[in-house]
């Protein structure tokens, strides 16, 4: 493997009520340009004022990433022209970011966090009739202008595209645990810097999401590898990632940060962050995914894989714990990380978005535990509860899911054996498939209520 260094600059849209420097609602809207005012439209004479909720979110995120928190929050103007930037400058943090020098653990490995700073999102460009290069014309939607972003910059400690994806997933999860990011509302956009074998680094811009980062990096690595193999040098440049064509294209040779001519934003005051404030924020941080995972391993002695899976959704993790109290950690862990999560994923729901309740789940799992429901039946009840929410009791009754009494199943087995003498002969001459056929016959007779494992055992005994 060649030596690869990857550093990410990730923009997370923060989920505050209002925008960063004005009182406009911080939300997407169908209609363009409705959530706007003179400030986020950049009219002359309009004045920004800082939304303190954004500063609080920045401090929380910084602490969750083990960062130092700045004593003063100061904003600067980053000057450049682009059609999405109506003022011709973006208000951002440059000289001193709200948070710096932290880290995020990827298993045993630590990814250094260089800095995290607050800035405003520009407006959204909508290219009409093609891509940026081929569009007939472009519309601008200012609803997004002034949305608070937290830009998190890593050290070049990431070594593979998979690691970059994993990093982003963990980062997003932390933001979700803190309640400052909502994946249904906001987006995560990254620029990736990548160099190979100590060569020049290339910045790939405009990458959306976690799958996107892996894809974009895989393509860029392939491109650089080809150059290196041909004995050519990788140029220091900025490239744009086109997720449709899955290629990166050169945009410009890389500019230096200082070329943006930063100046302090004269319309905003510096905001002091006291030590007490930071301590308070630290004390009120929720339990974070990594801590929860550790605790689950200790408290419930479950497998690592199950703990990893449970902490991906904080509400699912809470529900797991409540159920574990009643039905035990093992049963709860395997069902919450297994069939329950599978069903939620299938419907693209988080636990709290789903109609599931802890009470319902415990009811189902208790019936499973006491042998009233088979594994299959219990899984079916869970699926039904999500798809057509109603009490498990009703589902079990309506669908006739209670496990048939053994004597009944034995009768079905007897019937199936009598009705299918050829299959019995085939089985006796060593054809395993014949047994599967017979199991199917018995299942059919029972209307799906028998436990296939049990049926198989009964058939094996009988034959
Ligand atoms: P700039 O001032 O050019 O934006 P920064 O120091 O802010 O540079 O770093 C930007 C990003 O580039 C960071 O995520 C950092 O980790 C990454 N980076 C720095 N050096 C390298 C390198 N040799 N290879 C890959 N990425 C790098
Ligand atoms: Zn506004
Ligand atoms: Mg930079």
């Amino acid at each position: 493997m060649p030596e690869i260094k990857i550093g990410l600059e990730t923009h997370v849209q923060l989920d505050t009520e209002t925008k960063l420097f004005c009182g406009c609602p911080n939300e997407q809207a169908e209609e363009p340009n409705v959530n706007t005012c003179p400030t986020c439209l950049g009219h002359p004479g309009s004045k920004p004022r800082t939304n303190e909720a954004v500063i609080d979110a920045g401090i929380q995120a910084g602490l969750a990433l083990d960062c130092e928190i700045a004593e003063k929050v100061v904003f600067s103007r980053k000057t450049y022209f682009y059609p999405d930037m109506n003022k011709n400058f973006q208000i951002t943090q440059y000289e001193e970011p709200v948070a710096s020098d932290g880290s995020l653990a990827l298993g045993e490995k630590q990814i250094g966090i260089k800095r995290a700073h607050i800035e405003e999102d520009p407006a959204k460009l909508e290219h009409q009739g093609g891509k940026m290069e081929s569009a007939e014309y472009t519309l601008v939607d200012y609803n997004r202008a002034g949305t608070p972003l937290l830009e998190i910059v890593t050290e070049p400690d990431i070594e593979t595209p998979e690691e970059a994806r994993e990093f982003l997933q963990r980062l997003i999860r932390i933001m979700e645990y803190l309640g400052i990011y909502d994946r249904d509302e906001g987006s995560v956009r990254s620029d990736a810097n990548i160099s190979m074998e100590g060569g020049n680094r290339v910045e790939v811009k405009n990458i959306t999401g976690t799958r996107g980062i892996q894809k974009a990096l895989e393509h860029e690595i392939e491109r650089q590898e080809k150059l290196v193999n041909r004995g050519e040098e990788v140029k220091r440049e900025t490239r744009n990632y086109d997720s449709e064509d899955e290629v990166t294209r050169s945009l410009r040779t890389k500019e230096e940060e200082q070329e943006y001519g930063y100046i302090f934003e004269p319309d905003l005051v510096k905001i002091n962050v006291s030590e007490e404030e930071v301590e308070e924020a630290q004390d009120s941080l929720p339990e974070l995914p990594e801590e929860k995972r550790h605790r689950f391993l200790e408290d419930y002695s479950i497998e690592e894989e199950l703990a990893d899976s449970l902490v991906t959704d904080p509400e699912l993790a809470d529900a797991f714990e409540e159920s574990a109290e009643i039905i035990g950690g093992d049963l709860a862990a395997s069902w919450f990380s297994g069939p329950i999560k599978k069903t939620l994923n299938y419907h693209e729901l988080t636990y709290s978005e789903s109609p599931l309740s802890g009470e319902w789940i415990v009811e189902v799992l208790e019936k499973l535990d006491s042998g009233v429901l088979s594994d299959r039946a219990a899984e079916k009840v869970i699926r039904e509860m999500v798809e057509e929410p109603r009490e498990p009791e009703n589902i079990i009754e309506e669908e006739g899911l209670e496990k048939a009494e053994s004597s009944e199943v034995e009768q079905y087995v007897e019937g199936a054996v009598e009705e299918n003498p050829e299959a019995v002969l085939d089985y006796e001459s060593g054809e395993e498939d014949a047994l599967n056929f017979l199991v199917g016959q018995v299942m059919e007779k029972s209307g799906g209520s028998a436990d296939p494992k049990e049926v198989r055992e009964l058939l094996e005994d009988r034959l």
Side-chain angles (χ1 to χ4, degrees):
M1 273 295 277
E3 186 211 35
I4 295 174
K5 281 190 189 167
I6 299 165
L8 297 182
E9 300 171 281
T10 297
H11 299 84
V12 178
Q13 282 186 348
L14 297 176
D15 183 28
T16 49
E17 294 283 313
T18 53
K19 291 185 181 182
L20 176 49
F21 296 119
C22 64
C24 290
N26 175 27
E27 58 188 31
Q28 295 164 2
E30 292 278 309
E31 184 100 357
N33 300 313
V34 288
N35 294 332
T36 53
C37 71
T39 300
C40 57
L41 289 170
H43 288 182
S46 63
K47 293 274 187 275
R49 53 187 194 283
T50 308
N51 178 353
E52 291 223 15
V54 178
I55 311 274
D56 291 345
I59 293 171
Q60 283 181 48
L63 291 172
L65 296 169
D66 276 331
C67 289
E68 302 292 326
I69 304 301
E71 285 168 24
K72 284 191 176 71
V73 174
V74 183
F75 289 99
S76 294
R77 293 181 174 183
K78 175 178 183 172
T79 306
Y80 65 95
F81 170 77
Y82 203 67
D84 63 0
M85 249 351 294
N86 40 1
K87 312 189 289 298
N88 285 359
F89 61 84
Q90 178 190 29
I91 308 181
T92 178
Q93 292 193 286
Y94 178 56
E95 293 79 1
E96 193 177 10
V98 64
S100 54
D101 285 330
S103 65
L104 189 156
L106 281 192
E108 299 293 297
K109 186 172 171 177
Q110 296 286 338
I111 305 297
I113 304 292
K114 222 171 151 145
R115 50 188 273 148
H117 65 256
I118 296 164
E119 65 186 26
E120 58 177 345
D121 211 352
K124 191 168 186 199
L125 296 181
E126 308 224 347
H127 305 298
Q128 304 295 308
K131 297 192 181 134
M132 197 201 325
E133 300 84 358
S134 56
E136 277 178 61
Y137 60 97
T138 296
L139 297 172
V140 188
D141 180 0
Y142 286 99
N143 284 336
R144 204 182 70 183
T147 293
L149 299 179
L150 190 67
E151 176 172 345
I152 297 130
V153 182
T154 76
E155 299 288 350
D157 296 339
I158 299 167
E159 289 168 294
T160 64
E162 300 79 56
E163 221 172 70
R165 177 179 177 177
E166 172 94 22
F167 170 84
L168 265 197
Q169 283 173 339
R170 294 206 184 207
L171 182 69
I172 293 171
R173 198 169 299 145
I174 290 172
M175 302 296 148
E176 284 179 331
Y177 266 61
L178 294 173
I180 62 179
Y181 172 70
D182 179 346
R183 71 173 78 201
D184 291 334
E185 304 268 327
S187 73
V188 170
R189 304 189 299 272
S190 306
D191 304 334
N193 279 269
I194 165 159
S195 64
M196 290 174 65
E197 307 286 11
N200 279 322
R201 71 189 216 226
V202 171
E203 181 172 10
V204 182
K205 281 206 162 306
N206 188 25
I207 311 168
T208 311
T210 55
R211 283 166 62 85
I213 201 89
Q214 181 169 349
K215 275 250 157 86
L217 285 168
E218 279 166 359
H219 286 287
E220 180 55 21
I221 288 172
E222 209 180 294
R223 191 189 69 87
Q224 291 192 19
E225 258 172 353
K226 277 190 193 142
L227 287 176
V228 172
N229 288 343
R230 271 189 258 136
E232 288 172 42
E233 189 182 286
V234 176
K235 279 195 305 237
R236 168 103 191 243
E237 63 179 346
T238 300
R239 301 180 71 85
N240 188 50
Y241 178 59
D242 182 333
S243 61
E244 243 171 76
D245 294 352
E246 298 192 345
V247 290
T248 64
R249 293 194 189 90
S250 184
L251 273 182
R252 54 181 180 262
T253 51
K254 169 74 181 161
E255 73 288 349
E256 302 286 330
E257 278 298 328
Q258 53 272 26
E259 288 168 18
Y260 285 105
Y262 287 90
I263 54 167
F264 285 117
E265 168 58 62
D267 286 337
L268 289 170
V269 292
K270 295 182 179 176
I271 298 171
N272 289 312
V273 183
S274 68
E275 243 171 77
E276 294 84 72
E277 227 174 305
V278 174
E279 268 166 37
E280 231 170 83
Q282 180 81 56
D283 290 343
S284 58
L285 281 187
E287 184 180 40
L288 295 169
E290 204 43 32
E291 296 161 354
K292 203 184 271 301
R293 181 178 165 278
H294 274 292
R295 189 169 56 75
F296 281 6
L297 290 177
E298 297 227 323
D299 289 1
Y300 304 102
S301 34
I302 53 178
E303 283 173 44
E304 292 208 18
E305 222 174 292
L306 298 190
D308 283 342
S309 161
L310 290 169
V311 302
T312 55
D313 175 347
E315 274 91 17
L316 180 90
D318 288 345
F320 152 71
E321 288 205 88
E322 280 161 28
S323 306
E325 291 256 322
I326 307 168
I327 55 167
D330 281 339
L331 185 61
S334 70
W335 279 75
F336 272 88
S337 67
I340 294 172
K341 208 172 147 186
K342 196 172 86 186
T343 306
L344 295 176
N345 287 347
Y346 180 77
H347 292 284
E348 291 179 4
L349 293 170
T350 64
Y351 183 80
S352 64
E353 286 165 354
S354 84
L356 291 177
S357 77
E359 260 166 70
W360 283 1
I361 292 172
V362 166
E363 209 177 307
V364 175
L365 295 184
E366 275 179 335
K367 285 202 158 66
L368 171 78
D369 207 26
S370 64
V372 175
L373 291 176
S374 67
D375 278 11
R376 250 174 57 138
E379 198 170 333
K380 178 144 203 267
V381 179
I382 285 171
R383 280 204 304 269
E384 281 282 317
M385 290 193 304
V386 174
E387 278 157 28
E388 237 180 275
R390 57 205 200 276
E391 304 261 337
E393 197 63 58
N394 295 342
I395 298 172
I396 293 166
E397 212 183 280
E398 282 160 35
E399 313 268 330
L401 289 172
E402 244 173 68
K403 226 191 248 181
E405 291 298 323
S406 273
S407 60
E408 231 175 289
V409 179
E410 274 162 27
Q411 280 171 27
Y412 297 143
V413 167
E414 207 46 52
V417 168
E418 269 167 33
E419 288 161 28
N420 299 285
E422 274 151 56
V424 173
L425 279 177
D426 286 347
Y427 175 71
E428 282 167 349
S429 62
E431 262 188 55
E432 277 296 321
D433 264 357
L435 186 64
N436 294 335
F437 170 76
L438 288 168
V439 172
Q441 293 297 303
V442 177
M443 291 306 294
E444 206 169 287
K445 283 179 187 293
S446 77
S449 72
D451 178 359
K453 251 198 326 217
E454 191 192 344
V455 171
R456 179 171 291 270
E457 279 163 15
L458 284 172
L459 273 168
E460 279 169 347
D461 288 348
R462 171 67 180 71
L463 301 174

